[in-house]
Amino acid sequence: MTPWEMAAVFAAGVGAGGINAVVGSGSLITFPTLLAVGLPPVTANVSNNIGLVPGGVTGVLGYRAELKGQRGRLLRLASASALGSLIGGLLLLNLPERTFTAVVTVLIGLSCVLVLAQPRISRLLASRPRQAHGGPWLWLGVLAAGAYGGYFGAAQGVLLIGLLGIFLDEELQRVNAAKNVLSLVVNATAAVLYTLVADVDWWAVLLVALGSTVGGFLGARVGRRLPAPVLRGAVVCIGVVAIVKLLTAA
């Protein structure tokens, strides 16, 4: 990569780290940038995934206040995220890239609907007892989101916020904090797999990692100050952008 290309990848990493901490879908910035500087699609995907892990760590640390009291729940759901990520990573390495396009588009669209409808659905479910960990359906949903995240990753945060917001009786900022943890588990699990068996561009990983670390820290500081309606609107907007990007690339 030329110096200008390296600067572009670093800047994309900053933007992706910030977006991932607030909503998710940072890969919609870094993945196209890596393609633009000449990396093959699968190599760009796996290098991007590994590089975004440090940004996920800073995003989680920035939301540590909102994570209080969620340890048991997240340990249970993290098992679904890790298993799903392994499934998705193996699919990435063995299936054509076009295979998931239609399914991913539908899933992101559904998650946007869930995020918009979450307050109304939560009111409807308020009279019903809900399990502290969300029950088996949430675990299965997180497993599916993990498989998607291990395969590509863009907008997995939108999926997770939609799922967690429906099944958990929590305010949106605490849901977002939980989303950051589960997204980190997905990316870290896939990163281990990719490091062992995939073709990785380590210069791209380094640049994305440095940028996403800075962006994750800044994004967490901004995201924690956003009112729930604003954060909900940001989630839906990112989801719509993700759908447009995927349909355009199809």
Side-chain angles (χ1 to χ4, degrees), residues 101-128:
T101 301
V103 176
V104 165
T105 303
V106 172
L107 285 175
I108 296 173
L110 177 60
S111 68
C112 289
V113 173
L114 290 176
V115 170
L116 285 174
Q118 187 256 321
R120 178 180 292 273
I121 296 174
S122 295
R123 287 195 295 269
L124 292 174
L125 296 176
S127 60
R128 303 181 183 180

Tab-separated table of all heavy atoms in Angstrom, residues 101-128:
chain	number	residue	atom	x	y	z
A	101	THR	N	-26.107	-13.096	0.498
A	101	THR	CA	-26.549	-11.726	0.231
A	101	THR	C	-28.036	-11.524	0.508
A	101	THR	O	-28.427	-10.590	1.221
A	101	THR	CB	-26.234	-11.334	-1.220
A	101	THR	OG1	-24.826	-11.451	-1.434
A	101	THR	CG2	-26.676	-9.913	-1.499
A	102	ALA	N	-28.877	-12.398	-0.039
A	102	ALA	CA	-30.326	-12.250	0.137
A	102	ALA	C	-30.721	-12.408	1.601
A	102	ALA	O	-31.506	-11.617	2.140
A	102	ALA	CB	-31.067	-13.268	-0.718
A	103	VAL	N	-30.136	-13.414	2.280
A	103	VAL	CA	-30.485	-13.672	3.677
A	103	VAL	C	-30.050	-12.510	4.564
A	103	VAL	O	-30.801	-12.052	5.434
A	103	VAL	CB	-29.839	-14.982	4.155
A	103	VAL	CG1	-30.109	-15.216	5.631
A	103	VAL	CG2	-30.359	-16.150	3.327
A	104	VAL	N	-28.850	-12.009	4.339
A	104	VAL	CA	-28.323	-10.912	5.144
A	104	VAL	C	-29.188	-9.668	4.986
A	104	VAL	O	-29.500	-8.978	5.961
A	104	VAL	CB	-26.859	-10.622	4.745
A	104	VAL	CG1	-26.395	-9.282	5.289
A	104	VAL	CG2	-25.947	-11.732	5.246
A	105	THR	N	-29.594	-9.378	3.756
A	105	THR	CA	-30.434	-8.204	3.513
A	105	THR	C	-31.744	-8.300	4.287
A	105	THR	O	-32.192	-7.329	4.912
A	105	THR	CB	-30.720	-8.061	2.007
A	105	THR	OG1	-29.487	-7.974	1.307
A	105	THR	CG2	-31.545	-6.819	1.728
A	106	VAL	N	-32.372	-9.469	4.265
A	106	VAL	CA	-33.626	-9.676	4.989
A	106	VAL	C	-33.418	-9.534	6.495
A	106	VAL	O	-34.220	-8.896	7.197
A	106	VAL	CB	-34.221	-11.053	4.651
A	106	VAL	CG1	-35.415	-11.362	5.549
A	106	VAL	CG2	-34.637	-11.111	3.190
A	107	LEU	N	-32.333	-10.103	7.002
A	107	LEU	CA	-32.066	-10.047	8.441
A	107	LEU	C	-31.856	-8.619	8.920
A	107	LEU	O	-32.365	-8.219	9.975
A	107	LEU	CB	-30.835	-10.893	8.781
A	107	LEU	CG	-31.031	-12.410	8.768
A	107	LEU	CD1	-29.697	-13.110	9.012
A	107	LEU	CD2	-32.047	-12.830	9.818
A	108	ILE	N	-31.124	-7.824	8.164
A	108	ILE	CA	-30.893	-6.436	8.565
A	108	ILE	C	-32.200	-5.650	8.527
A	108	ILE	O	-32.505	-4.862	9.428
A	108	ILE	CB	-29.832	-5.779	7.663
A	108	ILE	CG1	-28.482	-6.470	7.837
A	108	ILE	CG2	-29.687	-4.295	8.011
A	108	ILE	CD1	-27.426	-5.987	6.870
A	109	GLY	N	-32.997	-5.871	7.471
A	109	GLY	CA	-34.283	-5.196	7.395
A	109	GLY	C	-35.187	-5.560	8.564
A	109	GLY	O	-35.832	-4.693	9.163
A	110	LEU	N	-35.226	-6.846	8.921
A	110	LEU	CA	-36.031	-7.289	10.052
A	110	LEU	C	-35.547	-6.667	11.349
A	110	LEU	O	-36.353	-6.252	12.195
A	110	LEU	CB	-35.977	-8.816	10.151
A	110	LEU	CG	-36.707	-9.447	11.337
A	110	LEU	CD1	-38.187	-9.108	11.303
A	110	LEU	CD2	-36.505	-10.958	11.344
A	111	SER	N	-34.225	-6.571	11.505
A	111	SER	CA	-33.683	-6.000	12.740
A	111	SER	C	-34.051	-4.527	12.869
A	111	SER	O	-34.319	-4.044	13.973
A	111	SER	CB	-32.158	-6.183	12.792
A	111	SER	OG	-31.533	-5.386	11.807
A	112	CYS	N	-34.083	-3.793	11.749
A	112	CYS	CA	-34.495	-2.386	11.796
A	112	CYS	C	-35.943	-2.271	12.255
A	112	CYS	O	-36.294	-1.388	13.048
A	112	CYS	CB	-34.322	-1.742	10.420
A	112	CYS	SG	-32.610	-1.488	9.923
A	113	VAL	N	-36.797	-3.155	11.756
A	113	VAL	CA	-38.193	-3.164	12.187
A	113	VAL	C	-38.290	-3.457	13.681
A	113	VAL	O	-39.069	-2.823	14.407
A	113	VAL	CB	-38.997	-4.200	11.375
A	113	VAL	CG1	-40.416	-4.341	11.927
A	113	VAL	CG2	-39.039	-3.813	9.902
A	114	LEU	N	-37.498	-4.408	14.153
A	114	LEU	CA	-37.507	-4.756	15.571
A	114	LEU	C	-37.072	-3.576	16.435
A	114	LEU	O	-37.641	-3.321	17.501
A	114	LEU	CB	-36.594	-5.952	15.826
A	114	LEU	CG	-37.064	-7.300	15.271
A	114	LEU	CD1	-36.012	-8.370	15.528
A	114	LEU	CD2	-38.393	-7.712	15.885
A	115	VAL	N	-36.051	-2.858	15.990
A	115	VAL	CA	-35.574	-1.707	16.761
A	115	VAL	C	-36.655	-0.634	16.837
A	115	VAL	O	-36.903	-0.044	17.893
A	115	VAL	CB	-34.284	-1.142	16.139
A	115	VAL	CG1	-33.912	0.192	16.776
A	115	VAL	CG2	-33.137	-2.127	16.332
A	116	LEU	N	-37.325	-0.358	15.717
A	116	LEU	CA	-38.386	0.640	15.714
A	116	LEU	C	-39.574	0.211	16.574
A	116	LEU	O	-40.188	1.024	17.264
A	116	LEU	CB	-38.860	0.895	14.279
A	116	LEU	CG	-37.940	1.725	13.390
A	116	LEU	CD1	-38.474	1.760	11.968
A	116	LEU	CD2	-37.791	3.131	13.937
A	117	ALA	N	-39.897	-1.072	16.512
A	117	ALA	CA	-41.070	-1.581	17.230
A	117	ALA	C	-40.767	-1.960	18.674
A	117	ALA	O	-41.700	-2.265	19.428
A	117	ALA	CB	-41.634	-2.801	16.502
A	118	GLN	N	-39.507	-1.919	19.068
A	118	GLN	CA	-39.119	-2.412	20.397
A	118	GLN	C	-39.865	-1.747	21.558
A	118	GLN	O	-40.323	-2.441	22.470
A	118	GLN	CB	-37.611	-2.281	20.583
A	118	GLN	CG	-37.077	-2.921	21.852
A	118	GLN	CD	-36.748	-1.877	22.894
A	118	GLN	OE1	-36.231	-0.815	22.547
A	118	GLN	NE2	-37.040	-2.164	24.141
A	119	PRO	N	-40.058	-0.407	21.569
A	119	PRO	CA	-40.811	0.182	22.695
A	119	PRO	C	-42.237	-0.352	22.800
A	119	PRO	O	-42.714	-0.675	23.886
A	119	PRO	CB	-40.784	1.681	22.372
A	119	PRO	CG	-39.597	1.861	21.508
A	119	PRO	CD	-39.517	0.620	20.682
A	120	ARG	N	-42.929	-0.460	21.646
A	120	ARG	CA	-44.311	-0.952	21.656
A	120	ARG	C	-44.359	-2.420	22.083
A	120	ARG	O	-45.211	-2.815	22.904
A	120	ARG	CB	-44.944	-0.791	20.281
A	120	ARG	CG	-46.374	-1.321	20.190
A	120	ARG	CD	-46.941	-1.136	18.805
A	120	ARG	NE	-47.133	0.266	18.511
A	120	ARG	CZ	-48.233	0.949	18.818
A	120	ARG	NH1	-49.229	0.344	19.446
A	120	ARG	NH2	-48.345	2.228	18.514
A	121	ILE	N	-43.466	-3.222	21.535
A	121	ILE	CA	-43.440	-4.642	21.890
A	121	ILE	C	-43.104	-4.815	23.370
A	121	ILE	O	-43.679	-5.663	24.054
A	121	ILE	CB	-42.439	-5.412	21.005
A	121	ILE	CG1	-42.903	-5.372	19.547
A	121	ILE	CG2	-42.300	-6.861	21.465
A	121	ILE	CD1	-41.925	-5.976	18.579
A	122	SER	N	-42.168	-3.995	23.858
A	122	SER	CA	-41.804	-4.076	25.275
A	122	SER	C	-42.996	-3.771	26.166
A	122	SER	O	-43.192	-4.405	27.202
A	122	SER	CB	-40.648	-3.113	25.576
A	122	SER	OG	-39.481	-3.509	24.900
A	123	ARG	N	-43.826	-2.799	25.763
A	123	ARG	CA	-45.022	-2.479	26.551
A	123	ARG	C	-46.015	-3.638	26.523
A	123	ARG	O	-46.649	-3.951	27.530
A	123	ARG	CB	-45.668	-1.198	26.010
A	123	ARG	CG	-44.900	0.069	26.337
A	123	ARG	CD	-45.748	1.308	26.097
A	123	ARG	NE	-46.079	1.467	24.681
A	123	ARG	CZ	-45.350	2.163	23.823
A	123	ARG	NH1	-44.221	2.727	24.221
A	123	ARG	NH2	-45.735	2.276	22.560
A	124	LEU	N	-46.144	-4.274	25.357
A	124	LEU	CA	-47.054	-5.410	25.248
A	124	LEU	C	-46.593	-6.587	26.099
A	124	LEU	O	-47.397	-7.347	26.633
A	124	LEU	CB	-47.175	-5.844	23.784
A	124	LEU	CG	-47.891	-4.871	22.839
A	124	LEU	CD1	-47.812	-5.371	21.406
A	124	LEU	CD2	-49.345	-4.688	23.264
A	125	LEU	N	-45.269	-6.725	26.224
A	125	LEU	CA	-44.720	-7.847	26.979
A	125	LEU	C	-44.507	-7.528	28.459
A	125	LEU	O	-44.104	-8.395	29.229
A	125	LEU	CB	-43.378	-8.281	26.372
A	125	LEU	CG	-43.422	-8.838	24.945
A	125	LEU	CD1	-42.010	-9.127	24.452
A	125	LEU	CD2	-44.286	-10.085	24.866
A	126	ALA	N	-44.788	-6.271	28.836
A	126	ALA	CA	-44.480	-5.852	30.205
A	126	ALA	C	-45.226	-6.674	31.245
A	126	ALA	O	-44.717	-6.906	32.347
A	126	ALA	CB	-44.811	-4.362	30.376
A	127	SER	N	-46.424	-7.110	30.912
A	127	SER	CA	-47.211	-7.872	31.884
A	127	SER	C	-46.797	-9.334	31.963
A	127	SER	O	-47.261	-10.058	32.839
A	127	SER	CB	-48.702	-7.779	31.529
A	127	SER	OG	-48.930	-8.318	30.227
A	128	ARG	N	-45.949	-9.758	31.052
A	128	ARG	CA	-45.509	-11.152	31.038
A	128	ARG	C	-44.143	-11.275	31.700
A	128	ARG	O	-43.280	-10.419	31.511
A	128	ARG	CB	-45.414	-11.672	29.596
A	128	ARG	CG	-46.717	-11.559	28.819
A	128	ARG	CD	-46.548	-12.120	27.425
A	128	ARG	NE	-47.770	-11.965	26.640
A	128	ARG	CZ	-47.899	-12.375	25.382
A	128	ARG	NH1	-46.870	-12.964	24.777
A	128	ARG	NH2	-49.036	-12.207	24.744
